[in-house]
Amino acid sequence: MADNFLERQYAAYLEQKSGTAHKRQSISVFHQFHTDISDIDLPTRFTNPFDYQPHRLCQLAAGETQAYIASQPPLHRELEEGKMFGVLVVKRMDGKVGFLSAFSGTLLGQMVLPYFVPPIYDQTQSKGYFRQEEHQISLLHRQYVELLRSEPYLQAKAELENKRRERDEYLQAMRESFRQAKEKRHRLRADGQLTPEEEASLMRESQFQKAEIKRQEQRLAMETGPYEEALNRLDEQASLLQKAYNQRSMQLQQWLFEQYELQNAKGEQKPLLEVHPAAPSGTGDCAAPKLLQYAFLHHMQPLCMAEFWWGKGNHEQGHYYPSCQAKCKPLLRFMLQGLEVDDPYSAQRSQMLIRDQELEILFEDDYFIAINKPAGLLSVPGHAPIDNAVDRLKRQRTGMEVYAIHRLDMDTSGILLFAKDTTTLSLMQQAFEQRKVHKQYIALLEARPAQDQGVISLPLAPNYEEHPLQMVDLTHGHQAITRYRVIDDNNSKCDSNNGPVRVIFEPQTGRTHQLRVHASHRLGLHCPICGDTLYGKTDSRLFLHASRLSFEHPYTRQTITIHCKETF
């Protein structure tokens, strides 16, 4: 793999030197390691950017990049809200091994800064078309906002609202008066003593009132009309400004994407929109595509890569994260063509954790069967043909149909409950939805929380740009509540240097990754679960175990409590 890559890159280098290729920026952001790396084996396959354990070289490169960031005071305030950075360990054509660094998006309002690789396209050029058009678009937005805040607009809106309120109050009073008159007519008719003339009079009164309501509605509509027309004229102006803003924004985004030309390890080039037709705003500006593009254009062999967060925000400073799905996945699929890419680390770890052994049966009757699911085993079949608890249980109990009532994350171990028929499945799923099933988990945290017990209430929502991550969303998230209690116990096997601390979690709701986010988030415990590759640090496994499950049997009405001791 390495020889083929270098051969292709050397051919491209000769082509460039002969003047038949575009002249590239000279190598000025290649950093040699300050630490001696001669005793570290180079990786044989490139990092799977969406599921990986950072290589030792990447950890060293990240450490040096973080030290550089710390030495630059202008970056400190900028990074208060946090930003994703990336490092790419590369081998140059002269055989030297070093690393490149990049940041996602902009930093200090710029896309080109010392130490970091340049963007695929620099949209921050002050005199460039993008900046000029962006300025014009900003003026449109400002005009739109100023119009909605202007005195004529606010006055027209207030006058119309007052007129409508007066109309509604007048009509409401009239309807109430006519309603009372109608009740009076009903009482007179109920007495049964009306003469024909009186009955005819009541009929005329009823008809008059019905017609009068319509006449008054039409009259008041004519009086309100000029006020509505005045506001509509201003709304039309605002709509035109908004339409122009949206149209020019879309055209500018289209133009911007057309400036991005991606290259892969084979030396092939494609426009960004051909690789990712539905690209959202910001595509191509993340750290990973920047790093690979620079390496390919400068004939460097990528060896391994990692991305880390620095600063505050929804992520943990210094922790490693996968590349985003919405923006980067289609791009990286193309750019990595020509490299041998590693298998997903979760699959590698699963193979180390699970063996084709019999599942431990914790409980069974005519309706249920509960197992102790090993860490690293999927709960249910997925898209890929990967071993899972359902298929393994069916192999173990030939001829038995089982239906997963709930799920555990692949990396979580412990009690997993199955139904033996669809009726029981439906009844128990309702019990889970109605929160009639009580669950308890044991976990090891990287550090001790500020309080030894309490309740975490942080609403959660999917992070669509960084699937499968979940995020705290205080505005649109779904309610998620977790009770926790620290257990003073030092008999653990977690490799973390900062802990570990054993806790009991009792989730009151069942959101995806609820315990993992509530443990790691700064508004929660701010102490990730040991081995949480998504929200914490990599370890031998995820130290989270479903230890107790309690529910009322839907047929016998007995309380069923299932226990399963953790092994860490």
Side-chain angles (χ1 to χ4, degrees), residues 364-394:
E364 184 175 9
D365 66 5
D366 293 338
Y367 307 98
F368 299 102
I369 183 168
I371 66 166
N372 177 11
K373 186 189 82 66
L377 183 67
L378 282 175
S379 294
V380 297
H383 297 297
I386 301 175
D387 193 15
N388 60 85
V390 171
D391 292 340
R392 188 177 286 197
L393 188 54
K394 286 182 178 179

Side-chain angles (χ1 to χ4, degrees), residues 150-162 227 231 234:
S150 67
E151 183 62 29
Y153 185 87
L154 295 176
Q155 182 177 349
K157 189 175 182 180
E159 289 176 348
L160 178 59
E161 289 175 353
N162 290 335
Y227 296 93
L231 184 60
L234 294 172

Side-chain angles (χ1 to χ4, degrees), residues 249-471:
S249 296
M250 290 176 59
Q251 290 173 346
L252 182 59
Q253 183 66 75
Q254 177 75 16
W255 177 89
L256 179 62
F257 282 152
E258 290 172 355
Q259 312 311 306
Y260 286 72
E261 188 84 10
L262 304 176
Q263 184 165 322
N264 64 16
K266 296 179 181 179
E268 300 170 339
Q269 292 186 340
K270 284 187 178 181
L272 183 147
L273 288 177
E274 183 177 337
V275 175
H276 193 356
S281 177
T283 300
D285 296 328
C286 294
K290 288 182 182 181
L291 290 166
L292 290 170
Q293 183 84 346
Y294 189 89
F296 294 148
L297 293 179
H298 292 83
H299 319 299
M300 301 176 182
Q301 179 190 350
L303 299 177
C304 53
M305 182 171 64
E307 293 180 88
F308 64 89
W309 184 262
W310 201 255
K312 298 178 181 179
N314 264 335
H315 299 306
E316 285 295 311
Q317 177 166 294
H319 285 193
Y320 296 95
Y321 291 92
S323 297
C324 68
Q325 299 272 329
K327 298 176 183 177
C328 291
K329 191 169 186 177
L331 272 58
L332 297 185
R333 279 179 173 173
F334 167 73
M335 299 183 81
L336 293 177
Q337 291 177 18
L339 294 179
E340 291 187 30
V341 179
D342 213 351
D343 294 329
Y345 177 68
S346 59
Q348 298 178 44
R349 189 167 71 168
S350 296
Q351 292 304 312
M352 293 186 287
L353 290 171
I354 62 174
R355 300 175 179 85
D356 194 11
Q357 58 190 18
E358 282 202 354
L359 297 169
E360 179 186 1
I361 306 301
L362 302 172
F363 171 83
E364 184 175 9
D365 66 5
D366 293 338
Y367 307 98
F368 299 102
I369 183 168
I371 66 166
N372 177 11
K373 186 189 82 66
L377 183 67
L378 282 175
S379 294
V380 297
H383 297 297
I386 301 175
D387 193 15
N388 60 85
V390 171
D391 292 340
R392 188 177 286 197
L393 188 54
K394 286 182 178 179
R395 292 196 301 269
Q396 187 169 321
R397 292 295 184 86
T398 306
M400 176 187 288
E401 285 297 328
V402 292
Y403 305 90
I405 297 171
H406 63 122
R407 301 183 186 186
L408 297 176
D409 287 345
M410 181 173 71
D411 293 333
T412 303
S413 60
I415 303 168
L416 188 60
L417 185 64
F418 297 89
K420 292 184 176 181
D421 60 79
T422 55
T423 301
T424 303
L425 172 67
S426 178
L427 291 172
M428 285 305 298
Q429 286 179 334
Q430 291 178 24
F432 270 90
E433 292 173 359
Q434 295 169 5
R435 303 181 187 177
K436 295 180 179 179
V437 178
H438 302 284
K439 298 167 286 184
Q440 185 182 90
Y441 291 77
I442 301 293
L444 297 182
L445 303 185
E446 292 180 2
R448 195 179 193 96
Q451 297 180 345
D452 282 352
Q453 61 181 351
V455 178
I456 308 163
S457 181
L458 290 175
L460 303 178
N463 188 332
Y464 293 107
E465 289 193 357
E466 299 181 54
H467 178 80
L469 296 184
Q470 304 291 303
M471 63 181 182

